Amino acid sequence: MTTFADQALEEQIEQWRAYVRRRPGLHGPDVEELEGHLRDQLAALTEAGLTGDEAFLVAVKRMGNLDALSREFARAHSERLWKQLVMAPDADEPANKSYAETLVVLGLAVAAALAIKVPALFGHPINPNEGFPLFYARNASLFVFPLLTAYFMWKRGSDVVSGLWLAMPFAAGAVLANVFPFSKGSDTEVLTLLHLPIALWLAVGFAYVRGRWFADGGRMNFVRFSGELAIYYVLIALGGFVVIALTFMMFRAIGMNPDWFVAGWLIPCGAAGAVLIGSWLVEAKQSVIENMAPVLTRLFTPLFTVLLLVFLATMAWTGSPINVKREVLIGFDLLLAVVVGLVLYAASARDPQAPPDFFDGLQLLLVLSALVVDGVALAAIAARISEFGFTPNRVAALGENLILLVNLTWSAWLYARFLRHRSSFAVLEGWQIAYLPVFSAWATLVVVVFPPLFGYR
């Protein structure tokens, strides 16, 4: 029978485990091994006559410094690429694994770049003078995500059966994106190209955590990876803009127009390959980017808070309603998604044992501001539907804003309880990561159900 003391001890172990997960270099299996050592210490100490609290304090002290443990795990697990980047390899271990991973990633990046060009062989060329074809936009995630999934399966040592299961959503996505008889430029086609990557990103997540989605902080690890990949991808894109500018400058200096090369090859191929390269960099330099995450969240949280407050004040002062057009709806949903992302990323970068501070209050203000904006957008969408009826865009926007409303409302409630010392931060973190599949499920519904439901218009 579980006693109150046992429950208290398990809560302490859970807090310790959450803290350990934040240490650079320590991953799910490492945390399990460390927890096993901790429990062995606890068992020995309690048998010696110590109480649960006393045994926990002594056991944690014996575990030693976690940064030192990180380096010990790096020595013990030589397959990790960051070992070769942070520590010098042993003389009898020439970092062959690192070179092999480099070749694998480069090969997959080249494969992703070439995959973009394969449809041109079947009557879908990229013509710079006609704009970017929607065919490529619909299939963009299918060119890249399966290869990214293959990389994580190779790196994590997943088996063939897992690979077959993970291949199923990509196969279904390929069928739905290309078999549905969309009208050219139809609303349902645009909704598909926007929501298919969200639905398929969950499959990448399962490959990333290798079956540990519901344990060892797997979902939060994937959240961190997603945010860090976005950071690296933006940095790579900025470098790509420099390359494009220099390409135009050099070729135009000799009287040639490089539009065909830049629009047909450099941009699409580079954009696809950069996803693999960015993912590899996140894995390789994980400890470096983890130091950037708190800085970025503390920089952008006040900026977005001020932006939302100024917008609400301006709208109240002028009395101007939100213009419910497709581009505006996408923009507002993207804004609210960024707010949810900031909350998630702030949670991933925060020590759950730390007490509430000013930044947590600022996070609550950001969530409340976003909640008001979401309510205003929902009211505008509902009024538009009641006046002009249902369309694919309005229904999609209505569903997405309702999903965001639930997330933001409960996040605000949990933040308020945390600030008043009535709940732990772990509860808020658990709510955020448990809600992630809801976004993917809605995106899947939009891709699968909306086109036939609205007659592919």
Side-chain angles (χ1 to χ4, degrees):
M1 181 176 179
T2 303
T3 64
F4 177 78
D6 293 334
Q7 292 178 348
L9 182 59
E10 287 298 324
E11 289 179 0
Q12 289 179 308
I13 294 174
E14 174 59 32
Q15 291 176 348
W16 175 87
R17 184 165 54 239
Y19 173 71
V20 171
R21 288 172 185 155
R22 297 226 175 2
R23 307 309 300 169
L26 296 177
H27 293 244
D30 306 338
V31 177
E32 284 184 351
E33 187 174 341
L34 285 175
E35 184 179 344
H37 292 317
L38 178 66
R39 289 185 181 275
D40 291 341
Q41 293 280 352
L42 288 171
L45 291 168
T46 51
E47 288 178 3
L50 274 68
T51 65
D53 289 341
E54 293 171 339
F56 180 78
L57 292 174
V58 174
V60 170
K61 182 69 175 177
R62 288 181 178 179
M63 295 295 290
N65 183 276
L66 289 175
D67 290 326
L69 284 171
S70 299
R71 294 183 65 82
E72 288 302 317
F73 270 97
R75 295 187 181 95
H77 299 278
S78 61
E79 72 274 8
R80 291 203 184 136
L81 176 61
W82 69 266
K83 177 186 174 183
Q84 283 77 30
L85 296 171
V86 177
M87 304 167 52
D90 298 332
D92 57 346
E93 188 180 2
N96 289 333
K97 188 70 175 181
S98 174
Y99 299 143
E101 182 167 358
T102 302
L103 292 176
V104 168
V105 171
L106 291 177
L108 290 173
V110 171
L114 293 178
I116 294 288
K117 302 302 297 181
V118 170
L121 302 176
F122 299 93
H124 295 282
I126 299 176
N127 191 336
N129 298 323
E130 298 179 359
F132 195 69
L134 285 178
F135 168 83
Y136 286 91
R138 288 200 314 270
N139 291 275
S141 56
L142 296 167
F143 295 133
V144 180
F145 287 0
L147 295 171
L148 182 58
T149 301
Y151 165 58
F152 285 131
M153 291 185 62
W154 175 84
K155 187 173 177 64
R156 307 288 191 259
S158 300
D159 53 35
V160 176
V161 176
S162 299
L164 293 176
W165 278 106
L166 290 175
M168 292 175 63
F170 295 112
V175 171
L176 294 172
N178 296 285
V179 171
F180 280 159
F182 295 109
S183 302
K184 186 175 181 180
S186 65
D187 290 343
T188 52
E189 182 179 23
V190 174
L191 288 173
T192 296
L193 68 88
L194 291 174
H195 290 81
L196 185 59
I198 300 173
L200 295 180
W201 191 240
L202 192 67
V204 178
F206 276 105
Y208 180 84
V209 302
R210 193 197 171 190
R212 299 179 181 273
W213 185 260
F214 297 103
D216 304 323
R219 285 170 290 181
M220 185 54 76
N221 289 336
F222 184 58
V223 168
R224 293 192 192 98
F225 164 77
S226 301
E228 292 156 11
L229 174 59
I231 295 169
Y232 269 123
Y233 196 82
V234 170
L235 294 176
I236 294 172
L238 291 175
F241 287 136
V242 174
V243 173
I244 291 171
L246 292 175
T247 300
F248 275 108
M249 181 271 294
M250 290 186 297
F251 279 87
R252 286 179 175 173
I254 57 175
M256 295 184 63
N257 187 353
D259 283 355
W260 67 272
F261 172 71
V262 173
W265 288 86
L266 188 58
I267 293 178
C269 295
V275 176
L276 274 301
I277 299 300
S279 301
W280 174 56
L281 291 174
V282 171
E283 292 283 285
K285 288 293 188 180
Q286 191 173 45
S287 61
V288 175
I289 198 70
E290 282 176 353
N291 293 330
M292 293 172 59
V295 176
L296 291 171
T297 54
R298 290 181 180 272
L299 172 64
F300 285 102
T301 293
L303 289 176
F304 273 91
T305 303
V306 171
L307 172 64
L308 291 176
L309 290 175
V310 170
F311 169 75
L312 291 172
T314 304
M315 188 173 61
W317 179 265
T318 60
S320 300
I322 294 177
N323 186 7
V324 187
K325 291 184 178 180
R326 182 173 68 185
E327 295 77 10
V328 176
L329 293 177
I330 293 173
F332 271 96
D333 287 343
L334 180 60
L335 173 63
L336 295 172
V338 169
V339 171
V340 173
L342 280 173
V343 174
L344 265 170
Y345 214 48
S348 72
R350 190 188 191 282
D351 182 357
Q353 298 182 12
D357 56 18
F358 171 78
F359 184 74
D360 293 309
L362 191 61
Q363 284 281 112
L364 176 58
L365 181 59
L366 174 64
V367 172
L368 290 174
S369 302
L371 194 55
V372 176
V373 171
D374 192 18
V376 173
L378 273 171
I381 295 168
R384 193 75 170 176
I385 290 175
S386 64
E387 184 177 359
F388 297 103
F390 292 95
T391 66
N393 288 328
R394 293 170 195 152
V395 175
L398 180 66
E400 285 153 13
N401 280 272
L402 286 174
I403 289 172
L404 290 168
L405 181 71
V406 173
N407 181 282
L408 293 169
T409 300
W410 196 243
S411 296
W413 172 252
L414 293 177
Y415 252 123
R417 286 180 57 84
F418 173 63
L419 290 171
R420 297 171 65 186
H421 300 277
R422 294 188 175 182
S423 179
S424 67
F425 191 82
V427 176
L428 173 63
E429 180 180 323
W431 159 252
Q432 288 292 345
I433 60 176
Y435 203 77
L436 288 176
V438 176
F439 296 106
S440 182
W442 173 254
T444 303
L445 183 69
V446 172
V447 172
V448 175
V449 176
F450 274 41
L453 180 65
F454 290 98
Y456 308 100
R457 66 178 190 271

